[in-house]
Amino acid sequence: MNGDLYLSKPPFLYWAGLVSAAVVARLSEWSVRLPSALAATLCCIGTYLYGIRQAGCQVGLFAVVFLAANGAFSLFARRSEIEMHLTLRCFGALLAAWQFIFQQGRAAWNRFSYVLVVCALLTKGPGACCG
């Protein structure tokens, strides 16, 4: 941060920035912000698909429009911060848990939900589950 190492949070945000910079082949502001934008995009896709599955195409479209129009969501989608990564992992864990409950016990969905909760812990720390 401003030329100094800032390593006070769990490692997932830093790992995502390093992978993004390696894929783009240079470290820049754009390459560090890219993982947050991709996480927001995946949240929008998941919201749209879940809305379609539950109530049809119009509901999915309205849900994703309301999500993307939310000021805080779109702000964090453009910034290189922990919140969008945490949102994606918690949202994914919730969808996987619902899939497990409503598909009558496919254990893979239950395990995937737990894996995403662990990834949320790697993103934000114990406050992700307790706070």
Side-chain angles (χ1 to χ4, degrees):
M1 179 175 283
N2 294 327
D4 293 330
L5 285 177
Y6 179 71
L7 302 174
S8 65
K9 294 290 183 183
F12 197 87
L13 179 67
Y14 307 116
W15 292 346
L18 288 172
V19 168
S20 175
V23 168
V24 176
R26 68 181 270 231
L27 181 63
S28 66
E29 185 176 339
W30 183 84
S31 68
V32 174
R33 290 180 184 214
L34 182 62
S36 292
L38 291 176
T41 302
L42 289 174
C43 283
C44 287
I45 290 170
T47 300
Y48 178 68
L49 293 176
Y50 187 73
I52 287 175
R53 185 169 184 200
Q54 292 301 311
C57 188
Q58 273 190 319
V59 170
L61 185 60
F62 283 130
V64 76
V65 165
F66 283 118
L67 178 63
N70 181 297
F73 183 84
S74 59
L75 175 72
F76 286 123
R78 296 182 352 220
R79 299 174 73 176
S80 178
E81 291 187 10
I82 292 169
E83 282 74 12
M84 194 51 61
H85 298 277
L86 180 65
T87 300
L88 175 64
R89 280 147 193 85
C90 290
F91 179 60
L94 181 64
L95 288 181
W98 281 342
Q99 188 71 16
F100 170 71
I101 290 168
F102 296 123
Q103 291 294 325
Q104 300 302 323
R106 284 212 37 213
W109 286 111
N110 191 26
R111 288 187 203 107
F112 186 56
S113 174
Y114 286 129
V115 166
L116 288 173
V117 168
V118 169
C119 289
L121 282 171
L122 285 172
T123 302
K124 186 101 174 179
C129 296
C130 303

